[in-house]
Amino acid sequence: SSDHLEWWRDAKFGMFIHWGLYAVPAGVYEGKQIEGIGEWIMQRGKIPVAEYQGYAKGFNPVKYNPEAWAELAKNAGMKYIVITAKHHDGFALFPSDATEWDIADATPYKKDLITPLAEAARHRGLKFGTYYSQAQDWTHPGGAKAGSKEGGGWDDAHKGSFDEYLKKIAVPQTREILTRIKPDILWWDTPHLMTPERAKPLHDLIALRPGLITNNRLGGGYKGDTETPEQHIPATGIEGRDWETCMTMNDTWGYKSYDDNWKSTEVILRNLIDIVSKGGNYLLNVGPTAEGEIPEPSIQRLQQLGDWMKLNGSA
Ligand code: JFZ
């Protein structure tokens, strides 16, 4: 409940983008469809680190068109975009000096994926946010793994100190994001193993970006600015807190080639109206392919939402 949230409260509707190397296997490992959300395939398939790293060589999103993505969001009536700068697989979609496990060093594409989207968004008057998995990291030694104690994992390469991981990867990368990409929103996720002592150095970095909006998933007792109900709409909103329902259009965040369980445009529109009527924001997800394309069913739905917005004077 402070002024830096003013634009966010007015915004109501944003685009969430889960994009990363998991779009290469796209839900299939060793010829088998792996159950669950696509961006968790490394964990669900217990894929060894060295093997997963091979996906980077197949990640060459030459069809990526950040201008078209920002235009799609804008025309759907969305006012901001939040993209995965690093998800749980530890891979950075921006060039990072803290690691070689990033777009610049590990892929044939080599070019930053995040800053061009920030620029395309801002060029259209949209705000820009970065998702950052601060605790879970399934590649860098010591990173947290859901369901495991410190140092646990499914590969010897996971062994290491969580505190060292925070010091060498999470803190420097958060600083890179805040000073180079300069987002308006920092979207933390899954605070596994986070304590007040561990969260504090990350929390202290927020001061680098005056006005930055953060969510409630840093951990260590920090509440952030916004609640993040996941895949559901609280029946009567959330008393005394700003909130944002994040939701998929099908059943995955990261791209899966065979997930065809798309919500209808009507359902998505009803969700938006329901959420806004209860005082919340709607962060609606798209999961682009490894070539850099937003799936056609998502594009169609966003265009239909835009048609409704124009009829009703909100885009
Ligand atoms: C997390 C991630 O693990 C997932 O891959 C995706 O990025 C999603 C947006 O966030 O998943 C969660 C986090 C929190 C809850 C459920 C799933 N929760 O609080 O119920």
Side-chain angles (χ1 to χ4, degrees):
S1 46
S2 55
D3 284 337
H4 71 292
L5 286 163
E6 206 167 314
W7 74 259
W8 189 90
R9 290 182 186 132
D10 287 341
K12 313 289 185 198
F13 194 24
M15 175 182 278
F16 212 177
I17 304 177
H18 276 72
W19 197 24
L21 301 182
Y22 35 82
V24 174
V28 179
Y29 176 56
E30 291 184 328
K32 287 194 287 286
Q33 297 191 348
I34 304 296
E35 260 182 68
I37 44 184
E39 72 281 5
W40 277 71
I41 191 169
M42 184 180 183
Q43 194 259 14
R44 296 296 301 257
K46 300 285 173 277
I47 304 177
V49 170
E51 194 176 338
Y52 191 87
Q53 283 175 328
Y55 293 137
K57 295 179 189 68
F59 190 72
N60 192 19
V62 292
K63 294 182 181 163
Y64 177 44
N65 185 344
E67 300 290 336
W69 290 13
E71 192 67 16
L72 184 68
K74 170 96 181 174
N75 285 334
M78 292 163 152
K79 308 293 192 217
Y80 60 110
I81 296 174
V82 179
I83 188 170
T84 49
K86 183 193 91 161
H87 204 269
H88 307 332
D89 63 3
F91 178 79
L93 278 73
F94 59 98
S96 170
D97 297 333
T99 183
E100 308 266 279
W101 189 224
D102 65 349
I103 187 75
D105 297 309
T107 74
Y109 188 77
K110 296 196 185 305
K111 298 181 288 288
D112 188 1
L113 297 172
I114 303 296
T115 300
L117 186 62
E119 285 168 357
R122 286 179 171 142
H123 185 68
R124 288 165 178 78
L126 305 180
K127 298 286 190 177
F128 187 76
T130 44
Y131 167 113
Y132 185 78
S133 178
Q134 77 281 12
Q136 285 206 77
D137 188 310
W138 304 330
T139 296
H140 296 103
K145 328 265 167 336
S148 299
K149 311 196 295 279
E150 187 173 339
W154 55 91
D155 186 326
D156 280 346
H158 287 149
K159 292 201 161 66
S161 140
F162 183 57
D163 289 298
E164 281 294 298
Y165 153 77
L166 289 173
K167 199 166 82 184
K168 290 192 176 141
I169 303 294
V171 167
Q173 287 192 333
T174 300
R175 187 180 291 110
E176 289 176 338
I177 288 169
L178 294 179
T179 58
R180 297 177 187 175
I181 301 167
K182 302 186 171 72
D184 304 298
I185 300 169
L186 183 55
W187 219 95
W188 309 110
D189 203 9
T190 66
H192 194 58
L193 303 180
M194 294 301 282
T195 59
E197 296 70 35
R198 285 165 166 171
K200 186 172 187 299
L202 291 167
H203 182 261
D204 287 348
L205 292 174
I206 292 170
L208 290 169
R209 280 291 292 158
L212 185 76
I213 293 171
T214 60
N215 70 356
N216 63 340
R217 296 186 183 186
L218 172 58
Y222 291 100
K223 294 169 72 118
D225 297 303
T226 63
E227 297 294 311
T228 53
E230 174 121 358
Q231 302 281 31
H232 79 99
I233 302 171
T236 56
I238 302 178
E239 186 67 33
R241 288 282 287 169
D242 289 284
W243 60 277
E244 174 189 66
T245 286
C246 54
M247 206 180 274
T248 51
M249 283 199 216
N250 51 1
D251 292 321
T252 183
W253 304 92
Y255 179 68
K256 279 176 92 172
S257 57
Y258 51 91
D259 183 338
D260 297 320
N261 193 27
W262 299 99
K263 293 173 186 67
S264 67
T265 303
E266 184 179 329
V267 164
I268 294 168
L269 189 50
R270 283 175 183 274
N271 287 339
L272 175 62
I273 294 165
D274 191 13
I275 288 165
V276 170
S277 77
K278 291 168 179 167
N281 281 16
Y282 196 23
L283 189 61
L284 182 63
N285 186 71
V286 298
T289 67
E291 288 74 46
E293 292 187 301
I294 294 177
E296 196 54 39
S298 300
I299 292 177
Q300 276 172 14
R301 282 157 181 76
L302 291 170
Q303 287 173 344
Q304 287 167 353
L305 289 171
D307 292 343
W308 184 89
M309 293 284 181
K310 274 162 209 120
L311 272 180
N312 292 279
S314 353

